[in-house]
Amino acid sequence: DQQVKQNSPSLSVQEGRISILNCDYTNSMFDYFLWYKKYPAEGPTFLISISSIKDKNEDGRFTVFLNKSAKHLSLHIVPSQPGDSAVYFCVESNFGNEKLTFGTGTRLTIIP
Amino acid sequence: EPEVTQTPSHQVTQMGQEVILRCVPISNHLYFYWYRQILGQKVEFLVSFYNNEISEKSEIFDDQFSVERPDGSNFTLKIRSTKLEDSAMYFCASNPGTGGSYEQYFGPGTRLTVT
């Protein structure tokens, strides 16, 4: 019954290289997708989002791509920095202000 | 920068006891939420609250749970009779409720340990 799936529990990337985190979803009715970042002992922090009517959104080093036909989205971080080491959650929302549905998360480790 | 705050950071309680987790959402936000994350599992939605009433709740949010906004700043989650399986991180979040904003802003969480 997993609606948002992150198949890679962990990922290690060299500093300065590109980090690519992937997410698949099952419900075509999802309206909006978000990526959250979480450090240990802290709450999730909003990173970037994309509406289902778009296929790309960019904010500085972070770009999210949405492939609706494949029901797949990805987060690209370039260049990767040591401070990017965290758990990244792919999150969906059906409608503004409604509940967020989290994926299982991918732990990203940036190697100096 | 405004932020969501939560107290206490860690709460230890015995099974069967009542606990109240407290949150101060961002001022002027209109939507409030509670989520939880059991160790090793994903973040799960519990309940959303708007205009002084519950707008949505999950299957987890049974009769043992309740929420309240007792004044203009606090938002609380009460668990009436805690069970071992209630042990988790509990996160409060808020949303502006204007401009079609989807982003929710999370507090640092309260670690609840039920023994």
Side-chain angles (χ1 to χ4, degrees):
Chain A
D1 182 48
Q2 207 168 4
Q3 295 180 303
V4 184
K5 207 179 269 192
Q6 295 177 255
N7 290 317
S8 299
S10 63
L11 175 68
S12 293
V13 174
Q14 207 79 35
E15 182 180 358
R17 300 287 189 106
I18 183 170
S19 295
I20 300 176
L21 296 99
N22 294 301
C23 174
D24 297 301
Y25 61 94
T26 55
N27 188 345
S28 299
M29 299 301 291
F30 288 162
D31 185 46
Y32 212 78
F33 297 92
L34 308 93
W35 284 93
Y36 276 78
K37 178 169 81 170
K38 186 181 180 303
Y39 294 118
E42 294 185 15
T45 303
F46 170 71
L47 197 56
I48 191 170
S49 61
I50 187 166
S51 164
S52 60
I53 63 172
K54 295 187 175 182
D55 53 22
K56 178 182 174 181
N57 188 27
E58 193 171 351
D59 183 2
R61 297 187 297 116
F62 303 91
T63 304
V64 56
F65 296 92
L66 176 61
N67 182 334
K68 287 184 283 293
S69 60
K71 296 183 184 177
H72 177 86
L73 67 158
S74 61
L75 173 68
H76 292 209
I77 307 172
V78 57
S80 301
Q81 299 173 353
D84 296 330
S85 294
V87 177
Y88 289 78
F89 293 100
C90 175
V91 181
E92 69 83 16
S93 177
N94 265 346
F95 190 76
N97 315 128
E98 288 193 358
K99 69 178 182 184
L100 299 179
T101 300
F102 281 73
T104 50
T106 296
R107 180 177 302 279
L108 175 65
T109 302
I110 305 303
I111 305 164
Chain B
E1 187 175 325
E3 59 183 22
V4 176
T5 59
Q6 291 185 242
T7 53
S9 57
H10 190 191
Q11 174 87 47
V12 181
T13 189
Q14 288 192 325
M15 195 168 50
Q17 295 295 305
E18 174 184 287
V19 293
I20 297 176
L21 309 183
R22 291 183 165 80
C23 167
V24 179
I26 295 173
S27 177
N28 297 325
H29 280 197
L30 301 178
Y31 285 81
F32 315 112
Y33 313 83
W34 284 100
Y35 292 81
R36 78 173 185 190
Q37 185 179 28
I38 295 172
L39 188 64
Q41 299 185 23
K42 59 181 179 178
V43 178
E44 302 174 289
F45 167 78
L46 292 177
V47 65
S48 58
F49 192 85
Y50 171 72
N51 200 26
N52 277 323
E53 61 182 28
I54 291 174
S55 51
E56 187 179 4
K57 61 183 181 180
S58 71
E59 291 177 355
I60 304 167
F61 195 87
D62 61 22
D63 293 343
Q64 291 300 313
F65 292 87
S66 63
V67 289
E68 193 179 28
R69 188 152 164 84
D71 52 43
S73 58
N74 290 282
F75 180 52
T76 62
L77 173 70
K78 182 194 289 187
I79 309 175
R80 286 189 185 80
S81 178
T82 49
K83 308 185 193 75
L84 293 175
E85 54 264 37
D86 293 328
S87 294
M89 281 292 290
Y90 287 80
F91 296 105
C92 173
S94 67
N95 172 285
T98 57
S101 172
Y102 286 75
E103 297 89 43
Q104 295 177 17
Y105 298 84
F106 285 77
T110 293
R111 179 174 299 284
L112 177 64
T113 302
V114 182
T115 61

